[in-house]
Amino acid sequence: MLPSRTAQVALGRAVRDLMRAHLPAYRQCVAGAAAGLGPVSQWPQAGPLLVYRCTADVLLHPGAPSALRQQMAQAVAAGLTARQPTMRQRARAEMLRPRLLSAITEHVRSRRTQGPAADEPRDVLDAVIGAGPEEFTDRTVADLYLLLFQSIVGNIGYAVAWSLLLACLHHGPGRSWPWPADWLVREAARHRPFVWMVGRPVPHPLEFGGLPFAAGTVLSVSPYLLHHDPQRWDRPEMFRPERWNEPGGQGPYLPFSAGPFTCAGAAVAHSLTSEAVTALAQDARLAVSGGDARPLVSGSVLPRPFTLCRTLKAPAQAALTKGGE
């Protein structure tokens, strides 16, 4: 939808800087959201809901129409942030898309008519409007915004779900994890990258791997397969967060693409995921039931449904009880 790589980079950086500035508020919100999650929660759908709750005000500022904010919350609850694995789930989510896109387009038209309300963007929609070319139609701006909305909420939400599931499946219940959140999130993104296949058009005739490719040919690369290449990774079939503390123990790693096409928000997305995992594991013992490490592959690599059991450790439970008195 963007006319050049330069425009892509400008938009990516504008959104990245906005999300980075929101990190302290997100950290505080996700700690409270984790505490209020309850002893039993249903995943992976809880992941996008948790992330949306803590990014709602930066995705669309509180002064935006309440009806539109409510529609966005409903879209997350319906699963619009990822390509759902079953036709029924997909149909339910996609039924909301036209109405949501129409409402966003109308709000874009209103904002562009009124002009910028502040020197700095108030939310992701302001960032898209400010960084996008002026000749963009309102509908194109809305399409871009919805794509970013789905990427932020869905990609991070499901990355949190994968991190929790894999950590619990590979470590005994009731015990604290031996890995820092940073290793855990990196290994989850290696073992089960949310985006399992990416494609790029070849810019000019070239030869790759001994095969000729004409300009315009779409060359597809699978992060999932590269992350499980036994010639590049040590025991890639195993979930081993400790590999991220082993010198030279990593192979090609591209959960956020690579090279000039690396996602501008990769570092921020990793931080948002790590903060959520840290908050959920803080002062708690985690276990899963119904968990299965085999992915559901549709447009994305989704975790199968599982139940997360979160039991507060004694001091934390006492503090929570006292705080509620």
Coordinates of all heavy atoms in Angstrom, one line a residue, residues 105-162:
T105 N -12.4 4.5 8.5 CA -12.3 5.5 7.3 C -13.0 6.8 7.6 O -12.5 7.9 7.3 CB -12.9 4.8 6.0 OG1 -12.2 3.6 5.8 CG2 -12.7 5.7 4.8
E106 N -14.2 6.7 8.2 CA -14.9 7.9 8.5 C -14.2 8.7 9.5 O -14.1 10.0 9.4 CB -16.3 7.5 9.0 CG -17.2 8.7 9.4 CD -17.5 9.6 8.2 OE1 -17.6 9.1 7.0 OE2 -17.6 10.8 8.4
H107 N -13.6 8.1 10.5 CA -12.8 8.8 11.5 C -11.5 9.4 10.9 O -11.1 10.5 11.3 CB -12.5 7.9 12.7 CG -11.8 8.6 13.8 ND1 -12.4 9.7 14.5 CD2 -10.6 8.4 14.5 CE1 -11.6 10.1 15.4 NE2 -10.5 9.3 15.5
V108 N -10.9 8.7 10.0 CA -9.7 9.3 9.3 C -10.1 10.6 8.6 O -9.4 11.6 8.6 CB -9.1 8.3 8.3 CG1 -8.1 8.9 7.4 CG2 -8.5 7.1 9.1
R109 N -11.3 10.5 7.9 CA -11.7 11.7 7.1 C -11.9 12.9 8.1 O -11.6 14.0 7.8 CB -13.0 11.3 6.4 CG -13.6 12.5 5.5 CD -14.8 12.0 4.8 NE -14.5 10.9 3.9 CZ -15.0 9.6 4.1 NH1 -15.8 9.4 5.1 NH2 -14.7 8.7 3.3
S110 N -12.5 12.6 9.2 CA -12.8 13.6 10.2 C -11.4 14.2 10.7 O -11.3 15.5 10.8 CB -13.6 13.1 11.4 OG -13.7 14.1 12.4
R111 N -10.5 13.4 11.0 CA -9.2 13.9 11.5 C -8.5 14.7 10.5 O -7.9 15.8 10.8 CB -8.3 12.7 12.0 CG -8.7 12.1 13.3 CD -7.5 11.4 13.9 NE -8.0 10.6 15.1 CZ -7.2 9.9 15.9 NH1 -5.8 10.0 15.7 NH2 -7.6 9.2 16.9
R112 N -8.5 14.2 9.3 CA -7.7 15.0 8.2 C -8.4 16.3 7.9 O -7.7 17.3 7.6 CB -7.7 14.1 7.0 CG -6.9 12.8 7.2 CD -6.9 12.0 5.9 NE -5.7 12.1 5.1 CZ -5.5 11.5 3.9 NH1 -6.4 10.7 3.5 NH2 -4.4 11.7 3.2
T113 N -9.7 16.4 8.0 CA -10.4 17.6 7.8 C -10.1 18.6 8.9 O -9.9 19.8 8.7 CB -11.9 17.4 7.8 OG1 -12.2 16.5 6.7 CG2 -12.7 18.7 7.6
Q114 N -10.0 18.2 10.2 CA -9.7 19.0 11.3 C -8.3 19.4 11.4 O -7.9 20.5 12.0 CB -10.1 18.3 12.6 CG -11.6 18.1 12.7 CD -12.0 17.2 13.9 OE1 -11.1 16.8 14.7 NE2 -13.2 16.8 14.1
G115 N -7.4 18.6 10.8 CA -6.0 18.9 10.9 C -5.4 18.4 12.2 O -6.1 18.0 13.1
P116 N -4.0 18.4 12.3 CA -3.4 17.8 13.5 C -3.8 18.6 14.8 O -3.8 19.8 14.8 CB -1.9 18.0 13.2 CG -1.8 19.0 12.2 CD -3.1 18.9 11.4
A117 N -4.1 17.8 15.8 CA -4.5 18.4 17.1 C -3.3 18.7 18.0 O -3.5 19.4 19.0 CB -5.5 17.4 17.8
A118 N -2.1 18.2 17.7 CA -1.0 18.4 18.5 C 0.3 18.2 17.7 O 0.2 17.7 16.6 CB -1.0 17.4 19.7
D119 N 1.4 18.7 18.3 CA 2.7 18.6 17.5 C 3.1 17.1 17.4 O 3.7 16.7 16.4 CB 3.8 19.4 18.3 CG 3.5 20.9 18.2 OD1 2.8 21.3 17.3 OD2 4.0 21.6 19.1
E120 N 2.9 16.4 18.5 CA 3.2 14.9 18.5 C 2.0 14.1 18.3 O 0.9 14.5 18.7 CB 3.9 14.6 19.8 CG 5.2 15.3 20.1 CD 6.3 14.9 19.2 OE1 6.3 13.8 18.7 OE2 7.1 15.8 18.9
P121 N 2.1 12.9 17.6 CA 1.0 12.1 17.4 C 0.4 11.6 18.7 O 1.1 11.2 19.7 CB 1.5 10.9 16.6 CG 3.0 10.9 16.8 CD 3.4 12.3 17.0
R122 N -0.9 11.6 18.8 CA -1.6 11.2 20.0 C -1.8 9.7 20.1 O -1.9 9.1 21.1 CB -3.0 11.8 20.1 CG -3.0 13.3 20.2 CD -4.4 13.9 19.9 NE -4.7 13.6 18.4 CZ -5.9 13.9 17.9 NH1 -6.8 14.5 18.6 NH2 -6.1 13.7 16.6
D123 N -1.8 9.1 18.9 CA -2.0 7.6 18.8 C -1.4 7.1 17.5 O -0.9 7.9 16.7 CB -3.5 7.3 19.0 CG -4.4 8.0 18.0 OD1 -3.9 8.4 16.9 OD2 -5.6 8.2 18.3
V124 N -1.6 5.8 17.3 CA -1.1 5.2 16.0 C -1.7 5.8 14.8 O -1.1 5.9 13.8 CB -1.2 3.7 16.1 CG1 -0.9 3.0 14.8 CG2 -0.3 3.1 17.2
L125 N -3.0 6.1 14.9 CA -3.7 6.6 13.7 C -3.1 8.0 13.3 O -2.9 8.3 12.2 CB -5.2 6.8 14.0 CG -6.0 7.3 12.8 CD1 -5.8 6.4 11.6 CD2 -7.5 7.3 13.2
D126 N -2.8 8.8 14.3 CA -2.1 10.1 14.0 C -0.8 9.8 13.3 O -0.4 10.6 12.4 CB -1.9 10.9 15.3 CG -3.0 11.8 15.7 OD1 -4.0 11.9 14.9 OD2 -3.0 12.4 16.8
A127 N 0.0 8.8 13.8 CA 1.3 8.5 13.2 C 1.1 8.1 11.8 O 1.9 8.5 10.9 CB 1.9 7.4 14.0
V128 N 0.1 7.3 11.5 CA -0.1 6.8 10.1 C -0.5 8.0 9.2 O 0.0 8.2 8.1 CB -1.2 5.8 10.1 CG1 -1.6 5.4 8.6 CG2 -0.8 4.5 10.8
I129 N -1.4 8.9 9.7 CA -1.8 10.1 8.9 C -0.6 11.0 8.7 O -0.4 11.5 7.6 CB -2.9 10.8 9.6 CG1 -4.2 10.0 9.6 CG2 -3.2 12.2 8.9 CD1 -5.3 10.6 10.5
G130 N 0.2 11.2 9.7 CA 1.4 12.1 9.6 C 2.5 11.6 8.7 O 3.1 12.3 8.0
A131 N 2.7 10.3 8.8 CA 3.8 9.7 8.0 C 3.5 9.3 6.6 O 4.3 9.1 5.7 CB 4.4 8.5 8.7
G132 N 2.2 9.1 6.3 CA 1.7 8.7 5.0 C 1.7 9.9 4.0 O 1.5 11.0 4.4
P133 N 1.8 9.6 2.7 CA 1.8 10.6 1.7 C 0.4 11.3 1.7 O -0.6 10.7 2.0 CB 1.9 9.8 0.4 CG 2.7 8.6 0.8 CD 2.1 8.2 2.1
E134 N 0.4 12.6 1.4 CA -0.8 13.4 1.5 C -1.9 12.9 0.4 O -3.1 13.0 0.6 CB -0.5 14.8 1.2 CG 0.2 15.5 2.4 CD 0.4 17.0 2.1 OE1 -0.1 17.5 1.1 OE2 1.1 17.6 3.0
E135 N -1.4 12.3 -0.7 CA -2.3 11.9 -1.7 C -3.0 10.6 -1.4 O -3.9 10.1 -2.1 CB -1.6 11.7 -3.1 CG -0.5 10.6 -3.1 CD 0.9 11.2 -2.7 OE1 0.9 12.3 -2.0 OE2 1.9 10.5 -3.0
F136 N -2.7 10.0 -0.3 CA -3.4 8.7 0.1 C -4.9 9.0 0.4 O -5.3 10.1 0.9 CB -2.8 8.2 1.4 CG -1.7 7.2 1.2 CD1 -1.2 6.9 0.0 CD2 -1.2 6.5 2.3 CE1 -0.2 6.0 -0.2 CE2 -0.2 5.5 2.1 CZ 0.3 5.3 0.9
T137 N -5.7 8.1 -0.1 CA -7.1 8.3 0.2 C -7.4 7.9 1.7 O -6.6 7.3 2.3 CB -8.0 7.3 -0.7 OG1 -7.7 6.0 -0.3 CG2 -7.7 7.5 -2.1
D138 N -8.5 8.3 2.2 CA -8.9 8.0 3.6 C -9.0 6.5 3.8 O -8.6 6.0 4.8 CB -10.3 8.6 3.9 CG -10.2 10.2 3.9 OD1 -9.1 10.7 4.1 OD2 -11.3 10.8 3.6
R139 N -9.5 5.8 2.7 CA -9.6 4.3 2.8 C -8.2 3.7 2.9 O -8.0 2.7 3.7 CB -10.3 3.8 1.6 CG -10.4 2.3 1.6 CD -11.1 1.7 2.8 NE -11.1 0.2 2.7 CZ -12.1 -0.5 2.3 NH1 -13.2 0.1 1.9 NH2 -12.1 -1.8 2.3
T140 N -7.2 4.2 2.2 CA -5.9 3.6 2.2 C -5.3 3.8 3.6 O -4.6 2.9 4.2 CB -5.0 4.2 1.1 OG1 -5.5 4.0 -0.1 CG2 -3.6 3.7 1.2
V141 N -5.5 5.0 4.2 CA -5.0 5.3 5.5 C -5.6 4.3 6.5 O -5.0 3.7 7.4 CB -5.2 6.7 5.9 CG1 -4.9 7.0 7.4 CG2 -4.4 7.7 5.1
A142 N -6.9 4.1 6.4 CA -7.6 3.2 7.2 C -7.1 1.8 7.1 O -7.0 1.0 8.1 CB -9.1 3.2 7.0
D143 N -6.9 1.3 5.9 CA -6.3 0.0 5.6 C -5.0 -0.2 6.3 O -4.7 -1.2 6.9 CB -6.2 -0.2 4.1 CG -7.5 -0.6 3.4 OD1 -8.3 -1.2 4.1 OD2 -7.6 -0.3 2.2
L144 N -4.1 0.8 6.2 CA -2.8 0.8 6.8 C -2.9 0.7 8.3 O -2.2 -0.1 9.0 CB -2.0 2.0 6.4 CG -1.2 1.9 5.1 CD1 -0.7 3.3 4.7 CD2 -0.1 0.9 5.1
Y145 N -3.8 1.5 8.8 CA -4.0 1.6 10.3 C -4.5 0.2 10.8 O -4.0 -0.3 11.8 CB -4.9 2.7 10.7 CG -5.3 2.6 12.1 CD1 -4.4 3.1 13.1 CD2 -6.6 2.1 12.5 CE1 -4.8 3.0 14.4 CE2 -6.9 2.1 13.9 CZ -6.0 2.5 14.8 OH -6.3 2.5 16.2
L146 N -5.5 -0.4 10.1 CA -6.0 -1.7 10.5 C -4.9 -2.7 10.5 O -4.9 -3.6 11.4 CB -7.2 -2.0 9.7 CG -8.0 -3.3 10.1 CD1 -8.4 -3.2 11.6 CD2 -9.1 -3.5 9.2
L147 N -4.1 -2.7 9.5 CA -3.0 -3.7 9.4 C -2.0 -3.5 10.5 O -1.6 -4.5 11.1 CB -2.2 -3.4 8.0 CG -1.0 -4.3 7.8 CD1 -1.4 -5.8 7.7 CD2 -0.3 -3.9 6.5
L148 N -1.7 -2.3 10.9 CA -0.8 -2.1 12.1 C -1.5 -2.5 13.4 O -0.9 -3.1 14.2 CB -0.4 -0.6 12.1 CG 0.6 -0.2 11.1 CD1 0.7 1.3 11.0 CD2 2.0 -0.7 11.4
F149 N -2.7 -2.2 13.5 CA -3.5 -2.6 14.7 C -3.5 -4.1 14.8 O -3.2 -4.6 15.9 CB -5.0 -2.1 14.5 CG -6.0 -2.6 15.4 CD1 -6.0 -2.3 16.8 CD2 -6.9 -3.5 15.0 CE1 -6.9 -2.9 17.6 CE2 -7.9 -4.1 15.8 CZ -7.9 -3.7 17.2
Q150 N -3.7 -4.8 13.8 CA -3.7 -6.3 13.8 C -2.3 -6.8 14.2 O -2.2 -7.8 14.9 CB -4.2 -6.9 12.5 CG -5.7 -6.6 12.3 CD -6.1 -7.2 10.9 OE1 -5.9 -6.6 9.9 NE2 -6.8 -8.3 10.9
S151 N -1.3 -6.2 13.6 CA 0.1 -6.6 13.8 C 0.5 -6.4 15.2 O 1.1 -7.3 15.9 CB 1.0 -5.9 12.9 OG 0.7 -6.2 11.5
I152 N 0.2 -5.3 15.8 CA 0.6 -5.0 17.2 C -0.1 -5.9 18.2 O 0.5 -6.6 19.0 CB 0.3 -3.5 17.5 CG1 1.3 -2.6 16.7 CG2 0.5 -3.2 19.0 CD1 0.9 -1.1 16.7
V153 N -1.4 -5.9 18.1 CA -2.2 -6.7 19.0 C -2.1 -8.2 18.8 O -1.9 -8.9 19.7 CB -3.7 -6.3 19.0 CG1 -4.6 -7.1 19.9 CG2 -3.9 -4.8 19.3
G154 N -2.2 -8.6 17.6 CA -2.2 -10.0 17.3 C -0.8 -10.7 17.4 O -0.6 -11.6 18.1
N155 N 0.2 -10.1 16.7 CA 1.5 -10.7 16.8 C 2.1 -10.7 18.2 O 2.6 -11.8 18.6 CB 2.5 -9.9 15.9 CG 2.2 -10.0 14.4 OD1 1.1 -10.4 14.0 ND2 3.2 -9.8 13.6
I156 N 1.9 -9.6 18.9 CA 2.5 -9.6 20.3 C 1.6 -10.5 21.2 O 2.2 -11.3 22.0 CB 2.5 -8.2 20.8 CG1 3.5 -7.4 20.0 CG2 2.9 -8.2 22.3 CD1 3.5 -5.9 20.3
G157 N 0.3 -10.5 21.1 CA -0.6 -11.3 21.9 C -0.3 -12.8 21.7 O -0.2 -13.5 22.7
Y158 N -0.1 -13.2 20.5 CA 0.1 -14.7 20.3 C 1.6 -15.0 20.6 O 1.8 -16.2 21.0 CB -0.2 -15.0 18.8 CG -1.7 -15.1 18.6 CD1 -2.3 -14.1 17.8 CD2 -2.5 -16.1 19.1 CE1 -3.7 -14.1 17.6 CE2 -3.9 -16.1 18.9 CZ -4.5 -15.1 18.2 OH -5.8 -15.1 18.0
A159 N 2.5 -14.1 20.5 CA 3.9 -14.3 21.0 C 3.9 -14.5 22.5 O 4.6 -15.4 23.0 CB 4.8 -13.2 20.6
V160 N 3.1 -13.8 23.2 CA 3.0 -14.0 24.7 C 2.4 -15.4 24.9 O 2.9 -16.1 25.8 CB 2.1 -12.9 25.3 CG1 1.8 -13.3 26.8 CG2 2.7 -11.5 25.2
A161 N 1.4 -15.8 24.2 CA 0.8 -17.1 24.4 C 1.8 -18.2 24.1 O 1.9 -19.2 24.9 CB -0.4 -17.2 23.5
W162 N 2.5 -18.1 23.0 CA 3.5 -19.1 22.7 C 4.6 -19.2 23.8 O 5.0 -20.3 24.2 CB 4.2 -18.9 21.4 CG 3.5 -19.5 20.2 CD1 3.0 -18.8 19.1 CD2 3.3 -20.9 20.0 NE1 2.5 -19.7 18.2 CE2 2.6 -21.0 18.7 CE3 3.5 -22.0 20.7 CZ2 2.2 -22.2 18.2 CZ3 3.1 -23.2 20.2 CH2 2.5 -23.3 18.9

